[in-house]
Amino acid sequence: MTVGEEQAGTGNPPEVLDGPFSTRQLLRIDEALRLADQGTGLVFSIFVGSLDEPVREHAQRLHRQLANPDRSVLIAVSPNQRQLEIVTGRHARKRIPDTYVKLAALSMVGAFSGGDLAGGIINGLDQLASHAGKG
């Protein structure tokens, strides 16, 4: 079941979701992803969960599994490991240089350390999309 889907026969969204986000937070993240995708022509994805060591290589493997990795940006967050990786594809990297990725990551880490996982992700998406510009 995805966010926004109704429980069979009840007409209501699910009351309990598995994971660190409330339904409202998931809807906000989904909206931020949609706006980033539409505004840039790139494809943004979020992974939240445990990452195998070495963390960067695991994030890069996840990125390669996306439908169009060259035009994709993956934000991989492992709250329990206190790890964040942002992986950009070849085309996406031309529009979002590593310097801007690092700035977005710093902003996200600041929000995460304040306990705002969803807000950090949303702000990071917004910063990355702003740097990418229209595509």
Side-chain angles (χ1 to χ4, degrees), residues 57-127:
E57 288 179 18
H58 186 190
Q60 289 171 329
R61 280 194 313 274
L62 291 171
H63 182 265
R64 284 192 300 271
Q65 293 173 6
L66 298 173
N68 189 352
D70 282 346
R71 299 187 60 81
S72 296
V73 177
L74 172 69
I75 298 172
V77 182
S78 178
N80 293 338
Q81 293 169 289
R82 302 179 64 85
Q83 295 287 327
L84 167 66
E85 291 290 339
I86 301 175
V87 183
T88 53
R90 189 174 41 118
H91 178 74
R93 193 172 307 114
K94 291 177 184 175
R95 297 187 41 207
I96 312 171
D98 288 345
T99 304
Y100 294 113
V101 171
K102 290 176 185 176
L103 289 172
L106 284 172
S107 172
M108 294 172 75
V109 167
F112 297 163
S113 65
D116 190 5
L117 185 60
I121 290 170
I122 291 165
N123 289 336
L125 279 167
D126 182 57
Q127 288 180 1

Side-chain angles (χ1 to χ4, degrees), residues 19-68:
F21 303 112
S22 68
T23 301
R24 185 172 188 278
Q25 290 171 322
L26 286 170
L27 290 171
R28 287 180 55 222
I29 291 169
D30 186 58
E31 177 70 2
L33 282 166
R34 187 183 63 74
L35 290 172
D37 288 357
Q38 287 179 347
T40 65
L42 299 174
V43 179
F44 289 83
S45 299
I46 306 292
F47 172 87
V48 178
S50 294
L51 294 164
D52 298 333
E53 294 289 342
V55 171
R56 180 70 182 175
E57 288 179 18
H58 186 190
Q60 289 171 329
R61 280 194 313 274
L62 291 171
H63 182 265
R64 284 192 300 271
Q65 293 173 6
L66 298 173
N68 189 352

Side-chain angles (χ1 to χ4, degrees), residues 1-8 12-18 22-23 26-27 30:
M1 180 177 306
T2 62
V3 175
E5 282 186 282
E6 296 178 354
Q7 288 178 322
N12 297 320
E15 292 179 26
V16 178
L17 296 172
D18 223 9
S22 68
T23 301
L26 286 170
L27 290 171
D30 186 58

